[in-house]
Amino acid sequence: DVGTSLYFVNDSIQQVTFSSTVGVVIPCPAAGSPSAVLRWYLATGDDIYDVPHIRHVHANGTLQLYPFSPSAFNSFIHDNDYFCTAENSAGKIRSPNIRVKAVFREPYTVRVEDQRSMRGNVAVFKCLIPSSVQEYVSVVSWEKDTVSIIP
């Protein structure tokens, strides 16, 4: 029909990483005219269902994962691939898989590896970041006595 359409609003969403203390809201990246019915699924094709205070799909097609404690972690919900579909009289489209991953806020310390060098020689320092947070932390500068030496 003339005037009917389905389209992706943002099909570049490939991964959503969120803090367990904050939660996340993920809009379905598709829309249509007339308004499309938006649904979320696991990458396996299984329908998802609401889990009170953990996961909810809003009427507007937004997927919400609520904040949770480490003891409430469920990999089926908090570390999985999802996709969204949009359907109206123009047809049905499916978003690419979206990797959803929760991370836990935990204390960590970044430190500089001890090095020895003779006066006048070059010393190479390495920033040691704990492996549990390495993919989420990046070194943005080096400082000596609170003065930035390498921006």
Side-chain angles (χ1 to χ4, degrees):
D1 294 339
V2 175
T4 63
S5 64
L6 282 171
Y7 53 93
F8 288 109
V9 177
N10 181 0
D11 63 352
S12 65
I13 300 172
Q14 296 176 354
Q15 182 169 330
V16 175
T17 303
F18 71 100
S19 169
S20 63
T21 60
V22 178
V24 69
V25 174
I26 308 168
C28 179
S33 178
S35 293
V37 175
L38 305 173
R39 289 191 179 94
W40 283 93
Y41 300 88
L42 292 174
T44 58
D46 296 326
D47 287 322
I48 67 166
Y49 49 89
D50 284 355
V51 179
H53 310 292
I54 296 177
R55 178 177 65 196
H56 177 68
V57 178
H58 294 273
N60 67 358
T62 300
L63 172 64
Q64 182 170 10
L65 299 175
Y66 294 97
F68 62 96
S69 65
S71 63
F73 175 79
N74 180 332
S75 62
F76 190 72
I77 293 171
H78 301 114
D79 188 9
N80 211 334
D81 291 344
Y82 291 82
F83 69 87
C84 177
T85 63
E87 185 174 8
N88 67 11
S89 56
K92 185 175 184 177
I93 58 174
R94 177 194 190 280
S95 74
N97 284 355
I98 300 170
R99 180 78 184 146
V100 175
K101 182 178 182 181
V103 294
F104 297 99
R105 294 187 78 173
E106 50 188 66
Y108 65 91
T109 302
V110 174
R111 63 184 187 83
V112 176
E113 187 176 60
D114 290 336
Q115 293 294 330
R116 297 188 188 275
S117 177
M118 294 180 65
R119 187 178 302 248
N121 288 336
V122 175
V124 177
F125 293 96
K126 182 177 181 182
C127 185
L128 300 176
I129 302 169
S131 60
S132 62
V133 296
Q134 209 165 35
E135 67 180 291
Y136 309 109
V137 175
S138 60
V139 176
V140 295
S141 70
W142 284 82
E143 295 181 355
K144 178 182 178 187
D145 300 327
T146 70
V147 175
S148 183
I149 54 176
I150 300 176

